[in-house]
Amino acid sequence: MPLVTPFETSFGRVANRRMLLVETDIDGISGWGECVAGEGPFYAPETVETAWHILRDFIWPILKGREISAASEVWEMLALVRGHHMAKGAIEAAVWDAEAKRMGIPLWKLLGGVRDEISCGVSIGIKETIEDLIATVERELAAGYQRIKIKIKPGHDIEPVERLRQRFPRMRLMVDANSAYRLEDWPHLKRLEAYYLMMIEQPLGWDDLYSHAELQRKLDTPICLDECIHTLEHTRAAIELGACRIVNIKLGRVGGYTPARQIHELCRSKQIPVWCGGMLESGIGRAHNIALSTLDNFSLPGDVTASRRYWVEDVIEPEVEVTPQGTIRVPEGPGIGYLPRLNRIEQLSARIEILT
Ligand code: OSB
Ligand code: MG
């Protein structure tokens, strides 16, 4: 799926997304999930190809023909496979969708969600010029979005943040470095504190909790971890080490709803606010992010946005829309609450594999 505009982060630029969608058939009830792995192993180790391989050759043989009495059992069934959370998360989420559909209720209610409207922020990629960045922020604020996150990297950090602050003194602003800095850069990152950011997301190594703890001790601005949060155990270590004060939860990064809910609970018990990150998902993944965001400790605006910010035409009906207040009204229909546009999905498909 071609993006409306290419998206650039510190680890690269993407203009076209290769989506891996999973449809499960459980006693004739269909459930949908999306694998959020990237085209290359630059955000996380998995890719679309590794996820396809793991799903077909290892996850499917485990699940095939098994009695599943609740979607909450799937995560444990897959424990034999280490890592590969994006592959697991895709199918686990599809089983949750199917379970909610079988019960005839919205997935977010099955999950224990508490709100029928979620708060939305936007993630803005690195732009060629500051003028382009300012114009983009202006447009997103006018659309109602409640907070702005910009991607930064060395050489593209202080100046854009300073210029945005001058232009929009009161907006809720944060930055995401996607692991582009090293601990030695801390005096430079400290300069960002002049612009009262809500948080700095994942400044250091993708798996480096220790350095984040060192950095957090030097900064007043909260660090939010994204890439580092793979498991419940890593989250516990991050919190106990003081490596972050905020956690970004992504369904795919942690392996599905079961670990996502455990991490959400742990954070709640430690008074660490969480928010739902995005991975440039199609409507299927977007719908799951909306459901997840209804849990009570998702108390900060997430990177969950309208379909039209990324796609000319999404793969779900209706498309995800945002209110002028920068919220998404959570759908009331069964399961994820949006219908897959089967024609559009088929038309876009480069590969279809049916496992029986
Ligand atoms: O770090 O949150 C991230 C997109 C791809 C990979 C990593 C990230 C992102 C985003 C985009 O920030 C969030 C979105 O889907 O809008
Ligand atoms: Mg991030």
Side-chain angles (χ1 to χ4, degrees), residues 280-301:
L280 311 176
E281 289 93 344
S282 81
I284 301 292
R286 227 158 263 281
H288 279 289
N289 289 343
I290 293 168
L292 181 65
S293 302
T294 64
L295 301 183
D296 69 342
N297 191 37
F298 281 78
S299 53
L300 294 166

mmCIF file of all heavy atoms in Angstrom, residues 280-301:
data_model
loop_
_atom_site.group_PDB
_atom_site.id
_atom_site.type_symbol
_atom_site.label_atom_id
_atom_site.label_comp_id
_atom_site.label_asym_id
_atom_site.label_seq_id
_atom_site.Cartn_x
_atom_site.Cartn_y
_atom_site.Cartn_z
ATOM 1 N N LEU A 280 2.272 2.484 11.286
ATOM 2 C CA LEU A 280 1.802 2.759 9.928
ATOM 3 C C LEU A 280 0.869 1.631 9.465
ATOM 4 O O LEU A 280 0.989 1.128 8.341
ATOM 5 C CB LEU A 280 2.986 2.903 8.952
ATOM 6 C CG LEU A 280 4.126 3.835 9.389
ATOM 7 C CD1 LEU A 280 5.273 3.791 8.362
ATOM 8 C CD2 LEU A 280 3.647 5.275 9.542
ATOM 9 N N GLU A 281 -0.046 1.260 10.337
ATOM 10 C CA GLU A 281 -0.919 0.125 10.041
ATOM 11 C C GLU A 281 -1.998 0.459 9.010
ATOM 12 O O GLU A 281 -2.443 1.598 8.903
ATOM 13 C CB GLU A 281 -1.656 -0.332 11.312
ATOM 14 C CG GLU A 281 -0.791 -1.019 12.361
ATOM 15 C CD GLU A 281 -0.247 -0.065 13.414
ATOM 16 O OE1 GLU A 281 -0.282 1.172 13.192
ATOM 17 O OE2 GLU A 281 0.219 -0.560 14.453
ATOM 18 N N SER A 282 -2.442 -0.584 8.351
ATOM 19 C CA SER A 282 -3.681 -0.489 7.580
ATOM 20 C C SER A 282 -4.831 -0.467 8.587
ATOM 21 O O SER A 282 -4.624 -0.560 9.798
ATOM 22 C CB SER A 282 -3.825 -1.707 6.650
ATOM 23 O OG SER A 282 -4.332 -2.813 7.378
ATOM 24 N N GLY A 283 -6.038 -0.373 8.068
ATOM 25 C CA GLY A 283 -7.208 -0.282 8.926
ATOM 26 C C GLY A 283 -7.365 -1.426 9.915
ATOM 27 O O GLY A 283 -7.895 -1.231 11.015
ATOM 28 N N ILE A 284 -6.896 -2.620 9.549
ATOM 29 C CA ILE A 284 -7.046 -3.765 10.456
ATOM 30 C C ILE A 284 -6.233 -3.530 11.734
ATOM 31 O O ILE A 284 -6.747 -3.620 12.850
ATOM 32 C CB ILE A 284 -6.583 -5.084 9.771
ATOM 33 C CG1 ILE A 284 -7.399 -5.372 8.494
ATOM 34 C CG2 ILE A 284 -6.631 -6.250 10.759
ATOM 35 C CD1 ILE A 284 -8.839 -5.722 8.713
ATOM 36 N N GLY A 285 -4.967 -3.177 11.570
ATOM 37 C CA GLY A 285 -4.121 -2.903 12.729
ATOM 38 C C GLY A 285 -4.602 -1.666 13.490
ATOM 39 O O GLY A 285 -4.539 -1.608 14.721
ATOM 40 N N ARG A 286 -5.057 -0.693 12.755
ATOM 41 C CA ARG A 286 -5.593 0.544 13.338
ATOM 42 C C ARG A 286 -6.798 0.225 14.246
ATOM 43 O O ARG A 286 -6.918 0.732 15.359
ATOM 44 C CB ARG A 286 -6.068 1.429 12.169
ATOM 45 C CG ARG A 286 -5.658 2.875 12.176
ATOM 46 C CD ARG A 286 -5.729 3.456 10.762
ATOM 47 N NE ARG A 286 -4.380 3.376 10.251
ATOM 48 C CZ ARG A 286 -3.414 4.226 10.554
ATOM 49 N NH1 ARG A 286 -3.668 5.293 11.283
ATOM 50 N NH2 ARG A 286 -2.192 4.054 10.112
ATOM 51 N N ALA A 287 -7.691 -0.639 13.753
ATOM 52 C CA ALA A 287 -8.879 -1.025 14.524
ATOM 53 C C ALA A 287 -8.458 -1.713 15.829
ATOM 54 O O ALA A 287 -9.026 -1.462 16.888
ATOM 55 C CB ALA A 287 -9.757 -1.958 13.691
ATOM 56 N N HIS A 288 -7.434 -2.567 15.757
ATOM 57 C CA HIS A 288 -6.946 -3.218 16.982
ATOM 58 C C HIS A 288 -6.346 -2.191 17.942
ATOM 59 O O HIS A 288 -6.535 -2.276 19.153
ATOM 60 C CB HIS A 288 -5.919 -4.306 16.638
ATOM 61 C CG HIS A 288 -6.558 -5.599 16.198
ATOM 62 N ND1 HIS A 288 -7.223 -6.423 17.072
ATOM 63 C CD2 HIS A 288 -6.647 -6.187 14.977
ATOM 64 C CE1 HIS A 288 -7.679 -7.480 16.416
ATOM 65 N NE2 HIS A 288 -7.348 -7.361 15.136
ATOM 66 N N ASN A 289 -5.619 -1.211 17.401
ATOM 67 C CA ASN A 289 -5.034 -0.184 18.276
ATOM 68 C C ASN A 289 -6.117 0.623 18.985
ATOM 69 O O ASN A 289 -5.941 1.040 20.134
ATOM 70 C CB ASN A 289 -4.137 0.756 17.465
ATOM 71 C CG ASN A 289 -2.855 0.068 17.018
ATOM 72 O OD1 ASN A 289 -2.482 -0.969 17.548
ATOM 73 N ND2 ASN A 289 -2.183 0.652 16.037
ATOM 74 N N ILE A 290 -7.223 0.825 18.310
ATOM 75 C CA ILE A 290 -8.342 1.550 18.932
ATOM 76 C C ILE A 290 -8.893 0.732 20.103
ATOM 77 O O ILE A 290 -9.103 1.254 21.203
ATOM 78 C CB ILE A 290 -9.437 1.848 17.882
ATOM 79 C CG1 ILE A 290 -8.910 2.846 16.845
ATOM 80 C CG2 ILE A 290 -10.712 2.373 18.557
ATOM 81 C CD1 ILE A 290 -9.775 2.992 15.606
ATOM 82 N N ALA A 291 -9.082 -0.558 19.870
ATOM 83 C CA ALA A 291 -9.608 -1.419 20.947
ATOM 84 C C ALA A 291 -8.663 -1.409 22.149
ATOM 85 O O ALA A 291 -9.088 -1.232 23.298
ATOM 86 C CB ALA A 291 -9.808 -2.846 20.423
ATOM 87 N N LEU A 292 -7.379 -1.573 21.887
ATOM 88 C CA LEU A 292 -6.398 -1.597 22.979
ATOM 89 C C LEU A 292 -6.414 -0.284 23.772
ATOM 90 O O LEU A 292 -6.288 -0.283 25.002
ATOM 91 C CB LEU A 292 -4.996 -1.848 22.393
ATOM 92 C CG LEU A 292 -3.850 -1.933 23.404
ATOM 93 C CD1 LEU A 292 -4.009 -3.153 24.319
ATOM 94 C CD2 LEU A 292 -2.497 -1.984 22.680
ATOM 95 N N SER A 293 -6.567 0.819 23.057
ATOM 96 C CA SER A 293 -6.504 2.151 23.691
ATOM 97 C C SER A 293 -7.661 2.433 24.642
ATOM 98 O O SER A 293 -7.656 3.455 25.328
ATOM 99 C CB SER A 293 -6.486 3.242 22.614
ATOM 100 O OG SER A 293 -5.404 3.071 21.737
ATOM 101 N N THR A 294 -8.658 1.538 24.685
ATOM 102 C CA THR A 294 -9.788 1.778 25.590
ATOM 103 C C THR A 294 -9.492 1.295 27.017
ATOM 104 O O THR A 294 -10.279 1.551 27.923
ATOM 105 C CB THR A 294 -11.075 1.062 25.099
ATOM 106 O OG1 THR A 294 -10.862 -0.353 25.125
ATOM 107 C CG2 THR A 294 -11.457 1.508 23.697
ATOM 108 N N LEU A 295 -8.376 0.589 27.218
ATOM 109 C CA LEU A 295 -8.028 0.139 28.584
ATOM 110 C C LEU A 295 -7.679 1.359 29.440
ATOM 111 O O LEU A 295 -7.156 2.354 28.943
ATOM 112 C CB LEU A 295 -6.864 -0.852 28.542
ATOM 113 C CG LEU A 295 -7.095 -2.126 27.720
ATOM 114 C CD1 LEU A 295 -5.885 -3.049 27.824
ATOM 115 C CD2 LEU A 295 -8.351 -2.861 28.173
ATOM 116 N N ASP A 296 -7.940 1.241 30.747
ATOM 117 C CA ASP A 296 -7.974 2.471 31.560
ATOM 118 C C ASP A 296 -6.660 3.210 31.728
ATOM 119 O O ASP A 296 -6.656 4.424 31.873
ATOM 120 C CB ASP A 296 -8.651 2.227 32.915
ATOM 121 C CG ASP A 296 -7.825 1.348 33.827
ATOM 122 O OD1 ASP A 296 -6.915 0.663 33.325
ATOM 123 O OD2 ASP A 296 -8.093 1.358 35.036
ATOM 124 N N ASN A 297 -5.521 2.500 31.731
ATOM 125 C CA ASN A 297 -4.255 3.229 31.930
ATOM 126 C C ASN A 297 -3.688 3.814 30.632
ATOM 127 O O ASN A 297 -2.584 4.357 30.624
ATOM 128 C CB ASN A 297 -3.223 2.322 32.622
ATOM 129 C CG ASN A 297 -1.994 3.065 33.111
ATOM 130 O OD1 ASN A 297 -2.088 4.204 33.588
ATOM 131 N ND2 ASN A 297 -0.824 2.449 32.968
ATOM 132 N N PHE A 298 -4.411 3.689 29.534
ATOM 133 C CA PHE A 298 -4.007 4.388 28.300
ATOM 134 C C PHE A 298 -4.457 5.835 28.465
ATOM 135 O O PHE A 298 -5.433 6.273 27.872
ATOM 136 C CB PHE A 298 -4.591 3.719 27.058
ATOM 137 C CG PHE A 298 -3.841 2.476 26.647
ATOM 138 C CD1 PHE A 298 -4.036 1.276 27.322
ATOM 139 C CD2 PHE A 298 -2.909 2.503 25.617
ATOM 140 C CE1 PHE A 298 -3.319 0.126 26.979
ATOM 141 C CE2 PHE A 298 -2.188 1.367 25.263
ATOM 142 C CZ PHE A 298 -2.397 0.177 25.948
ATOM 143 N N SER A 299 -3.715 6.554 29.290
ATOM 144 C CA SER A 299 -4.177 7.867 29.724
ATOM 145 C C SER A 299 -3.558 9.017 28.937
ATOM 146 O O SER A 299 -3.894 10.173 29.175
ATOM 147 C CB SER A 299 -3.902 8.035 31.219
ATOM 148 O OG SER A 299 -2.538 7.769 31.470
ATOM 149 N N LEU A 300 -2.664 8.728 28.010
ATOM 150 C CA LEU A 300 -2.073 9.779 27.168
ATOM 151 C C LEU A 300 -2.494 9.537 25.718
ATOM 152 O O LEU A 300 -2.719 8.392 25.325
ATOM 153 C CB LEU A 300 -0.546 9.733 27.271
ATOM 154 C CG LEU A 300 0.033 10.082 28.645
ATOM 155 C CD1 LEU A 300 1.503 9.683 28.732
ATOM 156 C CD2 LEU A 300 -0.142 11.576 28.921
ATOM 157 N N PRO A 301 -2.600 10.601 24.915
ATOM 158 C CA PRO A 301 -2.991 10.407 23.511
ATOM 159 C C PRO A 301 -2.008 9.485 22.793
ATOM 160 O O PRO A 301 -0.795 9.593 22.993
ATOM 161 C CB PRO A 301 -2.924 11.822 22.914
ATOM 162 C CG PRO A 301 -2.975 12.760 24.080
ATOM 163 C CD PRO A 301 -2.350 12.023 25.235
#
